[in-house]
Amino acid sequence: RTIGDRIGEAKASGNLGNTLKVLGQFDEAVVCCQRHLDISQEQGDKVGEARALYNIGNVYHAKGKHLSWNVATVDLGYLPPEVKETLQKASEYYERNLSLVKELGDRAAQGRAYGNLGNTQYLLGNFSEAIAFHKERLAIAKEFGDKAAERRAYSNLGNAHVLLGRFDVSAEYYKKTLQVSRQLKDQAVEAQACYSLGNTYTLLQDYERAIEYHLKHLVIAQELGDR
């Protein structure tokens, strides 16, 4: 500010916003991220503007998740108005970010936006919309050979299909999750996929297979010493 470096001020405000988000000070975080956005727009800095929109989306997403943890939801379909409103705001900012990064031709950033849109729609209970976004995320992850993002997309697609009652489809996605987590040699994630498959086969009433996957989960949990 002293030297009149507006772009520097914008970036510093964004960093403050991200730090405040991690500290759980969501309202202060929004103020800082909004300053990042305002200055970026004033300076015609499209990349900075896109980043600020994404960061504000992340603050609302984190706040929404935080608020929903504090709510003992009896009914999966019910979201308190404050939680719903917060997640919808997150979604709006991700949408704005998405259209800007499309304009900028930044495929990697598009992938991140699709993933987060999928996650917010999932939390809002809009499972079909979540699936559409996660499929886009998956395509971009494959384009970049980003195995970790691919694995997350498969897992998220599995979760959304379970809640739509499409257990057979979700089992296929979880199998792909399992395959990729083995390629990544990530045992904790592999165990998680086995657990999901165990539950899905229970829902499909294929108990032999359910037992098989739950045993695999158990073995890895023991190997990792995860009580």
Side-chain angles (χ1 to χ4, degrees):
R1 275 181 182 160
T2 310
I3 62 170
D5 175 1
R6 294 293 276 167
I7 298 277
E9 185 184 338
K11 282 182 183 166
S13 299
N15 289 337
L16 268 171
N18 290 339
T19 310
L20 287 161
K21 179 197 78 178
V22 176
L23 290 169
Q25 295 173 26
F26 303 115
D27 298 337
E28 294 93 322
V30 169
V31 173
C32 293
C33 291
Q34 185 64 48
R35 192 180 304 132
H36 183 192
L37 180 62
D38 294 341
I39 300 172
S40 300
Q41 285 173 333
E42 164 211 304
Q43 297 291 315
D45 173 9
K46 291 281 190 192
V47 174
E49 187 183 338
R51 198 161 289 154
L53 289 166
Y54 183 74
N55 288 342
I56 297 174
N58 283 344
V59 175
Y60 283 120
H61 191 179
K63 184 182 178 181
K65 280 203 283 196
H66 177 77
L67 290 171
S68 62
W69 287 334
N70 297 343
V71 176
T73 34
V74 185
D75 168 26
L76 188 72
Y78 172 74
L79 272 182
E82 192 189 0
V83 178
K84 201 170 182 178
E85 213 174 289
T86 305
L87 291 169
Q88 274 162 348
K89 272 187 186 162
S91 217
E92 281 160 32
Y93 279 100
Y94 288 141
E95 290 274 12
R96 285 172 64 187
N97 165 264
L98 181 61
S99 66
L100 190 48
V101 294
K102 274 182 177 171
E103 202 183 298
L104 294 166
D106 186 342
R107 286 294 277 168
Q110 286 170 45
R112 289 191 290 274
Y114 280 126
N116 283 347
L117 276 163
N119 291 335
T120 45
Q121 290 304 313
Y122 178 86
L123 290 170
L124 283 163
N126 303 330
F127 305 120
S128 298
E129 287 90 334
I131 286 166
F133 285 127
H134 285 308
K135 280 183 175 168
E136 294 282 357
R137 176 66 191 113
L138 178 62
I140 295 174
K142 283 179 172 175
E143 233 173 81
F144 280 88
D146 183 344
K147 286 289 181 188
E150 188 184 331
R151 199 273 311 155
R152 287 195 300 275
Y154 283 137
S155 183
N156 288 327
L157 283 162
N159 295 343
H161 278 95
V162 164
L163 290 168
L164 285 173
R166 297 181 195 147
F167 307 132
D168 47 347
V169 181
S170 70
E172 292 313 306
Y173 279 121
Y174 287 140
K175 279 180 195 162
K176 286 179 173 158
T177 308
L178 183 57
Q179 216 178 328
V180 180
S181 57
R182 281 176 178 158
Q183 287 170 2
L184 289 166
K185 297 187 173 24
D186 186 335
Q187 278 198 296
V189 173
E190 186 185 332
Q192 214 176 350
C194 290
Y195 176 77
S196 298
L197 277 161
N199 287 342
T200 309
Y201 279 115
T202 301
L203 292 166
L204 284 164
Q205 299 183 337
D206 184 342
Y207 302 117
E208 289 301 320
R209 264 168 138 177
I211 288 167
E212 194 186 310
Y213 281 111
H214 282 310
L215 281 170
K216 283 179 181 168
H217 175 222
L218 177 62
V219 169
I220 299 173
Q222 286 170 336
E223 268 176 37
L224 296 176
D226 182 343
R227 301 293 284 175

